[in-house]
Amino acid sequence: MTKTNIGPINYQLMLPPMIKRNYGKWKTHRIIDTGVIEHVSQSGEPLYTVRAGAPKIISVYGVREICDLADKFCDGYLKFTSRTNIEFLVTQKEKIAPLIAELKRMGLPVGGTGYSFKTIIQCPGWLHCHTAIIDSPGVAKALHDALYDYFFRDDLPAKLKIAIAGCLNMCGAIHCSDIGIIGMHRRPPRVNDEIVTKLCEIPTLIASCPTAAIRPKGKSVEVNPDRCMYCGNCYTVCPGMEIHDPEYDCLSIWVGGKATNARTPPAFSRLAIPYLPNHPPRWPETIKQTKNIVETWLAHAKEGERMGDWIERISWERFFELTGIPFTDKHIDDFIFSVPTFRTTTQFRY
Ligand code: SF4
């Protein structure tokens, strides 16, 4: 017999009674204030969602405070969005204002609805990952601070979603966010023979390389630098493939990705800036360039145009021209599987 129901607890068991009554019967929803959405069911019952931006890393004390608020204002019911916002599900309109006041007291901003800047998705970075090239939560905090005002605005051309990943494994949603920031290596790994021979399984290590750049050498391995694309996969399976390099490791910025099917099809992000120095604790170069891209989009995009839609309309040439970002040979994708994506006509748009 097939065993079922082996995943997490069924969410239906935790639905608020009001949502259970109206499950799948929602008639309208509209934003009635910054960070507040009113949903009305077919029976006429209203539900108010109060959305607060929250840090991804939170102590048990913070969790208790949030639960206390949920108990006080929404009978204990809240949910988390995919961008780690907290949504309080309020059934009595008069409780919205005191809830927002409490959230502000706790330092949790209320906003992120409609055409606004959403909370940044970021990977755990150095919290517990050995592959991360950058301190992703630190970059996210610096960027949140820089773009804070946009979280409360509902007048951007469209939604603005930003994601940060510490390495090319891309925990997060960099490939389908309007702006993605990725930590990158720029040198092949150095082989530490002692660690490789004592700790690593050589066939697994060789198989981990997507470009077949690793080959056996005695009891250890060697790397063909011409084939290496600095992905760090080998380091993930074997700590003897030392790839971290403070001098060359960097950040890169990617633009134009989206996951939704709304208006235009989903799209992958593309490289905008291949190298920015890794300068903690505030990463000024990365913040400056991200703000530059956001502000250029704000100034030129039409209503409803996500970052990628805007770039497709004005052309990539114009994007580089308007943002002042230099176009270099690093922007040309010469990977073997990229041939079908090449432009094959002479019709450039300016
Ligand atoms: Fe292969 Fe990536 Fe390791 Fe380079 S960094 S050797 S491409 S697995």
Side-chain angles (χ1 to χ4, degrees), residues 28-139:
T28 59
H29 74 273
R30 66 189 177 111
I31 297 162
I32 56 171
D33 202 353
T34 306
V36 184
I37 307 170
E38 180 195 61
H39 316 261
V40 181
S41 79
Q42 287 167 6
S43 67
E45 265 189 291
L47 174 76
Y48 303 95
T49 296
V50 177
R51 181 179 294 172
K56 225 174 188 178
I57 302 120
I58 189 164
S59 74
V60 68
Y61 306 106
V63 172
R64 282 190 191 129
E65 269 197 77
I66 289 164
C67 291
D68 287 345
L69 284 189
D71 280 340
K72 194 167 163 192
F73 296 102
C74 28
D75 303 319
Y77 291 110
L78 53 79
K79 69 182 179 71
F80 292 88
T81 71
S82 58
R83 290 208 164 240
T84 67
N85 296 296
I86 308 168
E87 290 191 342
F88 293 86
L89 306 172
V90 186
T91 48
Q92 290 152 284
K93 199 171 185 179
E94 60 278 12
K95 288 191 174 176
I96 296 173
L99 170 61
I100 291 175
E102 287 282 333
L103 287 166
K104 283 188 181 157
R105 183 193 56 75
M106 285 173 65
L108 298 178
V110 175
T113 44
Y115 284 176
S116 62
F117 160 54
K118 312 292 175 185
T119 308
I120 295 172
I121 294 181
Q122 96 259 343
C123 75
W126 293 339
L127 281 180
H128 56 68
C129 178
H130 83 156
T131 317
I133 297 154
I134 54 169
D135 172 29
S136 318
V139 180

Side-chain angles (χ1 to χ4, degrees), residues 160 178-179 255-256 293-294 297 305-311:
L160 174 60
D178 297 294
I179 298 180
V255 295
I293 293 170
V294 170
W297 168 68
E305 276 182 340
R306 295 279 297 267
M307 184 75 67
D309 301 331
W310 166 63
I311 297 171

Side-chain angles (χ1 to χ4, degrees), residues 14-332:
M14 288 177 274
L15 290 183
M18 192 275 179
I19 289 190
K20 222 171 205 167
R21 274 197 304 279
N22 297 293
Y23 193 84
K25 296 177 195 156
W26 299 101
K27 198 172 164 193
T28 59
H29 74 273
R30 66 189 177 111
I31 297 162
I32 56 171
D33 202 353
T34 306
V36 184
I37 307 170
E38 180 195 61
H39 316 261
V40 181
S41 79
Q42 287 167 6
S43 67
E45 265 189 291
L47 174 76
Y48 303 95
T49 296
V50 177
R51 181 179 294 172
K56 225 174 188 178
I57 302 120
I58 189 164
S59 74
V60 68
Y61 306 106
V63 172
R64 282 190 191 129
E65 269 197 77
I66 289 164
C67 291
D68 287 345
L69 284 189
D71 280 340
K72 194 167 163 192
F73 296 102
C74 28
D75 303 319
Y77 291 110
L78 53 79
K79 69 182 179 71
F80 292 88
T81 71
S82 58
R83 290 208 164 240
T84 67
N85 296 296
I86 308 168
E87 290 191 342
F88 293 86
L89 306 172
V90 186
T91 48
Q92 290 152 284
K93 199 171 185 179
E94 60 278 12
K95 288 191 174 176
I96 296 173
L99 170 61
I100 291 175
E102 287 282 333
L103 287 166
K104 283 188 181 157
R105 183 193 56 75
M106 285 173 65
L108 298 178
V110 175
T113 44
Y115 284 176
S116 62
F117 160 54
K118 312 292 175 185
T119 308
I120 295 172
I121 294 181
Q122 96 259 343
C123 75
W126 293 339
L127 281 180
H128 56 68
C129 178
H130 83 156
T131 317
I133 297 154
I134 54 169
D135 172 29
S136 318
V139 180
K141 168 63 180 154
L143 206 48
H144 265 136
D145 290 351
L147 300 175
Y148 189 65
D149 291 344
Y150 297 125
F151 187 73
F152 307 103
R153 284 172 55 172
D154 194 14
D155 61 346
L156 309 189
K159 296 172 182 181
L160 174 60
K161 298 187 172 185
I162 299 181
I164 300 173
C167 74
L168 289 182
N169 286 315
M170 295 216 288
C171 304
I174 288 82
H175 61 295
C176 59
S177 289
D178 297 294
I179 298 180
I181 296 171
I182 311 179
M184 307 270 276
H185 295 297
R186 291 191 298 149
R187 285 289 181 277
R190 304 169 299 277
V191 181
N192 183 324
D193 290 327
E194 195 182 346
I195 298 177
V196 169
T197 50
K198 284 184 180 157
L199 286 185
C200 306
E201 196 181 85
I202 304 294
T204 311
L205 170 57
I206 291 173
S208 74
C209 179
T211 58
I214 304 174
R215 57 194 169 208
K217 186 184 175 200
K219 289 184 178 172
S220 182
V221 295
E222 67 178 356
V223 174
N224 177 353
D226 292 337
R227 293 191 77 106
C228 179
M229 61 173 181
Y230 327 130
C231 68
N233 261 10
C234 53
Y235 181 69
T236 306
V237 302
C238 172
M241 305 297 283
E242 294 166 357
I243 196 166
H244 288 284
D245 190 326
E247 195 181 335
Y248 289 102
D249 288 350
C250 69
L251 293 89
S252 60
I253 298 185
W254 303 65
V255 295
K258 78 198 253 290
T260 171
N261 256 314
R263 293 193 181 91
T264 50
F268 282 127
S269 312
R270 295 199 208 169
L271 182 68
I273 302 180
Y275 168 83
L276 287 164
N278 186 14
H279 279 163
R282 301 300 289 181
W283 294 271
E285 300 85 356
T286 303
I287 304 306
K288 187 175 160 207
Q289 286 295 355
T290 309
K291 277 190 86 172
N292 170 32
I293 293 170
V294 170
E295 280 160 13
T296 311
W297 168 68
L298 282 179
H300 294 92
K302 291 180 181 170
E303 194 185 341
E305 276 182 340
R306 295 279 297 267
M307 184 75 67
D309 301 331
W310 166 63
I311 297 171
E312 281 303 322
R313 176 173 62 81
I314 63 166
S315 82
W316 281 90
E317 292 84 351
R318 188 95 176 108
F319 167 77
F320 283 100
E321 206 174 279
L322 287 174
T323 53
I325 296 169
F327 186 87
T328 69
D329 59 337
K330 303 288 178 291
H331 291 93
I332 299 169

